[in-house]
Amino acid sequence: MAGAADLCRLNLVLSSNTPNRLLTAANFTRPGSLAAGAGVQPKSAPSDTDLEFVARAGKDRLLKVPSSNIRNFSIIAHIDHGKSTLADKLLQMTGTVESREMKAQFLDNMDLERERGITIKLQAARMRFMYNNEAYCLNLIDTPGHVDFSYEVSRSLAACEGALLVVDASQGVEAQTLANVYLALENNLEIIPVLNKIDLPGADPERVSREIEEVVGLDCSDAIYCSAKEGIGINEILSAIVQKIPPPQDTAERPLRALIFDSYYDAYRGVIVYFRVIDGTIRKGDRIMFMASKKDYYADEVGVLSPNQLQVNQLNAGEVGYLSASIRSVADARVGDTITHYSRKAEESLPGYKEATPMVFCGLFPVDADQFTELRDALEKLQLNDAALKFEPETSSAMGFGFRCGFLGLLHMEIVQERLEREYNLSLITTAPSVVYRVNCVNGDTVECSNPSLLPEPGSRRSIEEPYVKIEMLTPKDYIGALMELAQDRRGEFKELKFITEIRASIIYELPLAEMVGDFFDQLKSRSKGYASMEYSFIGYKESDLIKLDIQINGDPVEPLSTIVHKDKAYAVGRALTQKLKELIPRQMFKVPIQACIGSKVIASEAISAIRKDVLAKCYGGDITRKKKLLRKQAEGKKRMKAIGRVDVPQEAFMAVLKLEKEVL
């Protein structure tokens, strides 16, 4: 450990030399008053010698500190407000990651995250910070910002005592900002407001501070102004974490209870568990038990995430770490379970997490039928890493064996499909996204149906209910009309319009989830030129005028192409599907009718004309009766062929129609 003189010097380095102090009128220049690119002018950067002391403290992060000096915190924000950049700078300023190893979005270790520029998985990192000559252990959990990954946010907040609320100083409060604040308040966390990106020309921190106070209700008198990119205000953030976030309770003497907040499958070591020790102490070699699954193992390896895995001999109450115990079965260590000692069991398990409710469903089928078992194994391993994913086996006459999967939203669905293809080397077909309908039957039963083929017959059902969501759109006032028109077109029910500031408004609608799983978000962004944001929550089921739309080819219903649609949209969807199928199905030796039906009523129809052989080619003259006889014989043959003939719908046609359904629905 560094000597007392070194520690004093380190504290001075971080408090005075680094370009990260709270902005005041003296060192903050309004955009436009300087040359292009001006704004916040950082003070002199720390020297190489000073940074060596910071790095030395960072390397001592495995040394134990009293539980009163531990701080567990999370970073929450709307998507693209600079969470990952701030996490990078915190890691760098505390010497946790050496400069030569540093790269942008350091904690985003998936290729997919880097390509899209978004955080998908929560990541934990342990840092060491010197404050008033005392060493503090800071456990950071970086969280995603998109609404589809709010389940990741809720799990990380359950392992913390405080949170940094990061808000873009140019964009202000957005929909997910509010949602994340409410999640943090539910967990009784201490919230520190941080205004990021103050170096941007369009930044207006005073306006955004007022916005946070008015909309969120947080006191912003001591909000921290920072620029993660330029390294401004970072030390103020670290100091605020130490001063304001309460330490965990010292319960090391109690029986072990540790909450699993994440896990993943390693091909060589089995299931690796990330956990937060709530009570007691866990040591390497201890015999532990998972309280939900009742399985016991020996802890082969215990360590901390800093941000790479570093082994330690023990973890005490309040600390965050990982555990490897040669766990082969993915079902033995689930997220939300409680770890305790086998010999000294805890009396009751921790509350865990509320089960994630899937909002969007789709079918996942392997292109090669031989990959079915590989797909099942891949889904089980991915479910370990993504607890919000749900799946069950499904069979389709068109695509064979596959799985019906439940997701939290469309982006979640897209990410899961891409992860399965990349990480597990699978080729997949996805069906159009759908939602779970609730069917009230005549005999009083209620049936939940996520697949049109499982819908009860019209005679046995009394009504169909569909899920509704409450959607809040935050938008500049110029786009209010366009967004209200969009919501009205999607069968939305207007609830409230209020101005949160002079130039920004909040529009609240209730609309069917089925109308939102298509291109609603894309339309919202295009109609508002990218300025609007949205947040939605499930409110329950409402009865709607829904029908099952069947597609018949040559008189035979094709179940995989059936859909559940609203009565008002049935004709448009039926017309689009029949026209597309006419282009895709190859011509036969007989005429093939393609019909969209509601029950026995045909609402849209197309026909593929027959391939016709010229039977009159050999007739170069002679009596007309000869020609009529040949034509009559051909017609009889086609009639017989049509009666016994079967039309095979090619895989490409299914794929194209599924793509069309995603657009039309």
Side-chain angles (χ1 to χ4, degrees):
M1 192 183 241
D6 285 354
L7 296 183
C8 289
R9 184 171 177 191
L10 173 62
N11 209 42
L12 287 169
V13 169
L14 287 173
S15 60
S16 60
N17 277 359
T18 48
N20 55 4
R21 62 180 46 75
L22 182 65
L23 292 184
T24 61
N27 61 6
F28 178 64
T29 312
R30 277 263 168 244
S33 61
L34 297 173
V40 178
Q41 297 299 314
K43 302 292 178 185
S44 59
S47 68
D48 292 342
T49 317
D50 295 334
L51 289 174
E52 283 174 21
F53 284 102
V54 177
R56 190 185 303 173
K59 285 175 183 172
D60 291 337
R61 58 190 178 275
L62 293 185
L63 297 175
K64 293 292 177 190
V65 297
S67 63
S68 59
N69 285 14
I70 295 174
R71 301 290 184 271
N72 296 312
F73 71 99
S74 181
I75 304 179
I76 54 175
H78 187 84
I79 191 168
D80 205 29
H81 277 209
K83 290 183 306 304
S84 296
T85 312
L86 178 58
D88 288 351
K89 197 58 73 171
L90 291 174
L91 292 173
Q92 200 171 0
M93 290 302 299
T94 53
T96 307
V97 179
E98 293 185 27
S99 298
R100 67 172 183 271
E101 295 174 358
M102 198 63 206
K103 57 186 176 184
Q105 291 176 275
F106 188 86
L107 291 176
D108 292 347
N109 49 22
M110 258 191 257
D111 291 340
L112 208 52
E113 290 178 310
R114 294 184 167 281
E115 285 169 22
R116 290 173 176 252
I118 59 172
T119 304
I120 295 167
K121 280 295 301 170
L122 61 87
Q123 297 292 340
R126 177 182 173 124
M127 302 178 290
R128 187 180 177 84
F129 177 60
M130 305 303 300
Y131 182 76
N132 289 345
N133 298 337
E134 271 193 80
Y136 284 83
C137 171
L138 310 182
N139 289 311
L140 151 72
I141 302 180
D142 186 25
T143 62
H146 196 280
V147 62
D148 281 13
F149 304 113
S150 57
Y151 189 61
E152 294 276 319
V153 180
S154 65
R155 280 167 33 212
S156 63
L157 292 178
C160 299
E161 280 84 31
L164 296 180
L165 175 68
V166 180
V167 182
D168 189 321
S170 58
Q171 294 185 52
V173 173
E174 296 202 57
Q176 203 56 28
T177 312
L178 289 173
N180 286 337
V181 167
Y182 297 145
L183 278 175
L185 292 174
E186 278 175 26
N187 286 279
N188 298 317
L189 301 191
E190 180 67 37
I191 300 173
I192 302 172
V194 175
L195 301 185
N196 194 18
K197 304 189 183 182
I198 55 167
D199 58 316
L200 292 180
D204 190 351
E206 284 85 3
R207 173 183 65 80
V208 175
S209 291
R210 289 196 304 275
E211 214 171 271
I212 294 171
E213 287 181 344
E214 290 168 18
V215 180
V216 182
L218 283 177
D219 178 20
C220 284
S221 55
D222 55 353
I224 301 168
Y225 293 6
C226 84
S227 168
K229 190 176 180 183
E230 297 295 331
I232 300 161
I234 304 301
N235 191 52
E236 278 72 20
I237 292 171
L238 289 165
S239 301
I241 290 166
V242 171
Q243 291 167 8
K244 295 181 180 178
I245 294 176
Q249 293 179 348
D250 187 3
T251 54
E253 302 307 314
R254 294 183 190 172
L256 172 66
R257 288 199 306 171
L259 178 69
I260 301 174
F261 65 84
D262 199 12
S263 56
Y264 72 95
Y265 189 83
D266 185 285
Y268 300 101
R269 297 187 293 166
V271 178
I272 308 296
V273 173
Y274 291 179
F275 62 91
R276 151 86 193 266
V277 184
I278 306 295
D279 300 327
T281 302
I282 184 170
R283 295 178 179 82
K284 183 178 178 180
D286 282 357
R287 190 177 183 184
I288 54 157
M289 188 180 88
F290 298 102
M291 294 185 76
S293 61
K294 306 293 183 192
K295 301 287 185 181
D296 62 283
Y297 292 93
Y298 286 95
D300 301 332
E301 188 181 319
V302 173
V304 297
L305 302 149
S306 188
N308 300 321
Q309 294 178 359
L310 301 173
Q311 289 191 45
V312 295
N313 288 324
Q314 73 174 56
L315 289 171
N316 301 325
E319 292 190 282
V320 174
Y322 76 92
L323 165 77
S324 171
S326 303
I327 306 166
R328 291 194 183 89
S329 172
V330 294
D332 289 355
R334 289 291 186 196
V335 165
D337 199 352
T338 303
I339 303 171
T340 189
H341 279 131
Y342 184 79
S343 54
R344 191 189 174 201
K345 297 183 181 72
E347 289 181 12
E348 58 180 35
S349 59
L350 294 161
Y353 303 109
K354 186 171 69 175
E355 194 75 10
T357 308
M359 305 289 279
V360 178
F361 288 81
C362 85
L364 278 180
F365 297 89
V367 172
D368 181 0
D370 295 340
Q371 286 191 323
F372 174 75
T373 50
E374 292 168 36
L375 175 59
R376 184 182 57 216
D377 293 345
L379 281 167
E380 284 176 355
K381 288 173 184 174
L382 192 59
Q383 190 181 42
L384 185 71
N385 192 232
D386 184 353
L389 173 66
K390 300 281 182 287
F391 64 92
E392 59 185 30
E394 182 186 37
T395 312
S396 163
S397 57
M399 285 167 280
F401 294 99
F403 292 91
R404 188 89 182 154
C405 302
F407 309 94
L408 295 182
L410 280 181
L411 179 66
H412 186 211
M413 182 180 97
E414 205 178 311
I415 294 296
V416 166
Q417 185 192 347
E418 210 156 328
R419 285 186 70 185
L420 285 169
E421 289 177 345
R422 286 185 184 208
E423 296 174 25
Y424 300 97
N425 201 24
L426 298 168
S427 300
L428 301 172
I429 301 168
T430 54
T431 61
S434 64
V435 298
V436 177
Y437 297 96
R438 193 176 281 169
V439 184
N440 298 316
C441 299
V442 177
N443 61 5
D445 292 345
T446 301
V447 180
E448 291 202 337
C449 170
S450 62
N451 194 335
S453 61
L454 303 175
L455 198 68
E457 291 300 314
S460 62
R461 61 181 189 246
R462 191 175 71 250
S463 63
I464 304 177
E465 297 176 1
E466 63 179 332
Y468 265 67
V469 291
K470 176 186 170 188
I471 180 168
E472 182 177 13
M473 299 177 279
L474 295 187
T475 174
K477 62 181 181 181
D478 300 347
Y479 309 110
I480 292 173
L483 296 189
M484 288 181 77
E485 183 188 2
L486 170 65
Q488 294 290 150
D489 290 346
R490 302 300 177 96
R491 300 191 281 131
E493 296 173 19
F494 175 73
K495 290 297 172 187
E496 190 181 1
L497 168 63
K498 60 183 178 186
F499 280 85
I500 51 178
T501 62
E502 313 88 63
I503 57 168
R504 285 169 71 79
S506 163
I507 312 168
I508 296 175
Y509 268 86
E510 287 181 4
L511 80 162
L513 179 61
E515 296 286 346
M516 219 192 72
V517 298
D519 61 345
F520 187 89
F521 187 70
D522 296 342
Q523 286 290 325
L524 175 104
K525 286 294 183 186
S526 61
R527 292 192 188 203
S528 64
K529 298 181 181 172
Y531 286 106
S533 60
M534 64 173 247
E535 216 284 306
Y536 64 88
S537 57
F538 175 68
I539 55 171
Y541 279 81
K542 290 187 182 179
E543 193 173 312
S544 291
D545 198 358
L546 299 167
I547 48 96
K548 180 184 175 186
L549 181 69
D550 289 312
I551 300 293
Q552 291 190 353
I553 298 175
N554 197 30
D556 297 325
V558 184
E559 281 295 340
L561 299 180
S562 299
T563 53
I564 298 172
V565 294
H566 193 265
K567 198 172 182 180
D568 296 343
K569 293 180 73 176
Y571 176 74
V573 175
R575 170 63 58 201
L577 290 176
T578 52
Q579 287 177 346
K580 192 70 178 177
L581 281 168
K582 184 183 177 182
E583 296 170 18
L584 296 165
I585 294 175
R587 289 172 68 190
Q588 309 293 318
M589 294 296 289
F590 50 91
K591 183 180 176 183
V592 179
I594 303 169
Q595 298 164 319
C597 312
I598 301 171
S600 58
K601 182 186 175 185
V602 177
I603 60 165
S605 180
E606 293 287 342
I608 304 170
S609 56
I611 300 171
R612 188 163 175 269
K613 182 182 176 184
D614 188 2
V615 291
L616 302 182
K618 59 185 177 183
C619 299
Y620 48 86
D623 189 27
I624 188 67
T625 55
R626 173 68 180 154
K627 293 179 181 177
K628 282 184 177 178
K629 181 185 174 186
L630 289 169
L631 290 170
R632 197 163 50 247
K633 191 177 177 184
Q634 183 187 39
E636 284 171 4
K638 288 202 180 290
K639 189 177 178 182
R640 189 167 62 251
M641 197 184 291
K642 185 176 182 180
I644 62 168
R646 184 169 171 273
V647 181
D648 287 324
V649 183
Q651 190 76 48
E652 298 76 36
F654 276 107
M655 290 298 298
V657 171
L658 293 175
K659 192 175 178 184
L660 180 74
E661 278 181 5
K662 290 175 190 177
E663 294 166 7
V664 174
L665 297 176

